[in-house]
Amino acid sequence: MAPMINESFAEKAIALKRPLLKRKVLPAAVSEIREDPGAFQSLRVVEVKPFEYPLVIQSGEKILIDFGDHGVGYLHFRLANVPGYQIVDSPVRLHFSFGEFPLEIVTPPEAYRGTLGRGWLQKEEKSVVFAPYSGMLERRYAFRYVMIERKDNARFPVMFTDLYAECESAVDIRAVQLPCISDGLIEKIRHLSIKTLKECEQDVFEDGPKRDRRLWIGDLRLQAMTDYVTFKNIDLVKRCIYLFAAYRTESGKVAPCIFPDSPPFVDGWTFADYSLFFISCLHDYLEFSNDLTFAEELYPTALEQAQLTAAQLDTEKGIIDGDAFIDWCQDLDRSVALLGVYLYTLEQLRKLSVRLDKPVEWIGSEIKRAKDALMSFYCREKGVFVTASGQVSWHSQVWAALSGVLSREESIELLQTTEQISPLFVMHTPYMIHYYLEALYRCGLREKAVNVLKTYWGAIVDCGFDCCPEVFNSQNPFESPYSAPELNSACHAWSCTPAYWIDKLFGE
Amino acid sequence: MAPMINESFAEKAIALKRPLLKRKVLPAAVSEIREDPGAFQSLRVVEVKPFEYPLVIQSGEKILIDFGDHGVGYLHFRLANVPGYQIVDSPVRLHFSFGEFPLEIVTPPEAYRGTLGRGWLQKEEKSVVFAPYSGMLERRYAFRYVMIERKDNARFPVMFTDLYAECESAVDIRAVQLPCISDGLIEKIRHLSIKTLKECEQDVFEDGPKRDRRLWIGDLRLQAMTDYVTFKNIDLVKRCIYLFAAYRTESGKVAPCIFPDSPPFVDGWTFADYSLFFISCLHDYLEFSNDLTFAEELYPTALEQAQLTAAQLDTEKGIIDGDAFIDWCQDLDRSVALLGVYLYTLEQLRKLSVRLDKPVEWIGSEIKRAKDALMSFYCREKGVFVTASGQVSWHSQVWAALSGVLSREESIELLQTTEQISPLFVMHTPYMIHYYLEALYRCGLREKAVNVLKTYWGAIVDCGFDCCPEVFNSQNPFESPYSAPELNSACHAWSCTPAYWIDKLFGE
């Protein structure tokens, strides 16, 4: 299980570290959370009063602070004695509960039954022995709301004389200059998208600043695409590509994710689609930057991902031994979609090879082999792709449409047929919706793409999100891949591509 | 309620601040707490294995670390992934429970019913988001034991690769050179006493490093006396005397305690005996140091304490409106003891005045007036002092013996009669026992004093204490002035005078 480490890439990744930008964010209001059947998850945050100092807190009291927008950073505060009262003669115990959205605040930690480690619950307790006290919480949180509760039993009140978030990001949203768009909803969606990307651009491109906080390559690819039309933070893209090339699994495959902190670390498992997306990352980077030197340096790693996948391709069975991610979708048969991803990235590898004057013969023959494999799952009768297990999913059709096995007209027909069939296995994440948008765009179905964008992300805006979430199903506001909707990430990188699509769909 | 602040004294107190000495203390053992009817509070700490790295901890696991001795400081640790296991992919939550003695560890916080703020419970929780992690707990703790419990539910183990206490004190115990004493028990008692004093010498003379952590003048007086024969940390004594002179209550009285942290603060209430002990502090300081300049500077404050008390002295009723501390003893009538304290400190003021060439006429007449008041409570028939409420207590007799109203022979008789009567109101704290020892010593009852010292502090040694406690009653190991024996301070300044007494009783 020893990872394969390339020290030269690792050093270059370190050399590309940049200090984060810090921004002081002040509380906006003292609020409360009320039940409201008309609101997302039946919870609404209502302002009680504007925030002002001093903010007095008695023992047993709970105060909900609304910072007015999503932030990623550290909570700082000053606590003082209240003039005219007995002073703090025993420690004040403060319990903090951070939330990106109200459900996260109101769900009691003892009710947690999720499949992820409960350590991700954004709760913390702190003792303040003497006042005045000035300090901070050590852990970084992703939040808009903070519920502060006094858990000691001392009879004196204390007061906050300062309370703020020191927010961090690698980028400044004010630096992004984009053309105006007359459509108000599209403007809002674009704002949410850019805000999301900004919140996730930290020391690496994180998947979500609340949870995982890791560099996942599926997310990185979408973040980088969106970054190219917004922040253009090229150093961070290069740093992350270097990290994936530096720390690979024993077999040489690019890992699905990297724990970026000292020292970076990869687990032993892989996702076949995620390893292949290394090719996409390099392909997109070269297309945006024309930086041939960097592409040349990383090309062998990209090529190797295709070669390692080729070794697992059986033209009758598909890619064997290949765990893949594709989407959060229970019981999904991922085999056909994975062949689609393979072809999609082989095509990118071919383009990359041509730009770099590399031989393309092997790639050409591999494309042919993979096409044959994929086409063996096409059912002429139904007009869609069916897995060996007999499953018809949106995922298979979207990736088949992106694979290049069909002409534009055939792809259009495939997507239309799929819509008529309305498969049981639907797309669950904004990440998968992104590839659906790409399929529509490649088919020239611009209107349809705009419609999907406005319907899906428009509903997110309507639900009151400050950023784009990890999971969103308008039919089930409590859907969670972890059986814990309070732990869903409400600011998630793979949901940030609307700014990319708005540039594509409206910018031309 | 505005305090009276002398800025010049306040500045001098700040100028006398000194950096603390830091010392790294390593864990000694992994232990467990077992019930044992033969042990103090029926709990015994038993070593499970010597401490060694790495110390692996699984979720749900509890590990008791024994540092081998009492310390005051900060817990530092490094946490790492365990090679060969899945790495930390969700935050590890560690719960820490610090204890000076095992009862403090095993009593669940939900069982707390004490009268002091529950914030003093030495508990803390910390999230570690990524490993390797290196950090510390922000709060200073007083402890020998730490129970560490993993409260997250993640399936991977983690390991401590470093764990230590950074202990702090103003003084170094190795610098104290004292003559050898052949009596092993007396040696042990002296060691406990000096260790206690050291643990309490911080930025000020604290009463107890676990709880209160404040500068109390009743404690300061005994600490300074003991310091003069051990550490000789004169700057700290001066700093604390300046603090009491700088921050007084509105009436000009010296406060019973000062919250020393930025800025220092006094509450509005007073203890009549504690205000008067300012005189004792200055008297003792001059006797030890012969520093006439400092004594001259602080003399007006000392004189004022006597004058303010004089204004409250009614020769028939005693000191009116005078709350006093005297001892932790429920329903104690403190009036007679307080008159004793007044006379005791007036005599010290007289000596101080003579040394400084100040007029002594008023003091002389005040001593006469106070003696008359005190003698009016003497009951010739019973041979003891009886309060207006008819109460006979050890406290009244001890302070009468120290007041100077009786000859040495009369005092001896008084103490003997008291022992025969065996009053219901007995001495509860080592603090009060100190003044009993002083009464015995003044009466020339050296053997009796040695006996009390060995019996009382010897029993403390036998109970396994590392330092001298705040409260000790061999008849009731669960006695607590706060209805919470787990919050009793097991290292308390006012219990540190054995080193002073051993110097007096064995050093001549």
Side-chain angles (χ1 to χ4, degrees), chain B residues 165-178:
Chain B
E166 190 186 40
C167 291
E168 288 186 349
S169 168
V171 289
D172 185 346
I173 210 160
R174 292 166 302 184
V176 178
Q177 301 291 336
L178 293 174

Side-chain angles (χ1 to χ4, degrees), chain A residues 241-252:
Chain A
I241 293 176
Y242 272 132
L243 279 171
F244 276 114
Y247 300 91
R248 284 186 278 157
T249 62
E250 200 174 24
S251 66

Side-chain angles (χ1 to χ4, degrees), chain A residues 315-335:
Chain A
T315 38
E316 278 172 26
K317 295 182 188 157
I319 293 165
I320 50 176
D321 296 334
D323 266 359
F325 174 68
I326 305 298
D327 190 16
W328 282 120
C329 180
Q330 213 169 359
D331 301 325
L332 179 68
D333 181 339
R334 292 162 165 86
S335 55

Side-chain angles (χ1 to χ4, degrees), chain A residues 87-91 93 117-121 123 126-127 129-130 132-133 138-139 153 214 259 262 265, chain B residues 87-91 93 117-121 123 126-127 129-130 132-133 138-139 153 214 259 261-262 265:
Chain A
I87 72 153
V88 176
D89 68 354
S90 61
R93 267 184 205 269
R118 63 182 300 123
W120 285 120
L121 296 172
K123 315 281 180 197
K126 190 178 189 83
S127 283
V129 181
F130 295 113
Y133 166 86
E138 188 183 85
R139 177 170 166 182
N153 62 341
R214 256 174 271 165
F259 294 81
S262 45
F265 185 93
Chain B
I87 72 155
V88 176
D89 69 353
S90 62
R93 266 183 207 271
R118 62 181 301 123
W120 285 120
L121 296 173
K123 314 280 180 198
K126 189 175 191 85
S127 283
V129 180
F130 296 113
Y133 167 85
E138 188 182 85
R139 178 169 165 183
N153 62 340
R214 255 173 271 164
F259 293 82
D261 261 322
S262 45
F265 185 91

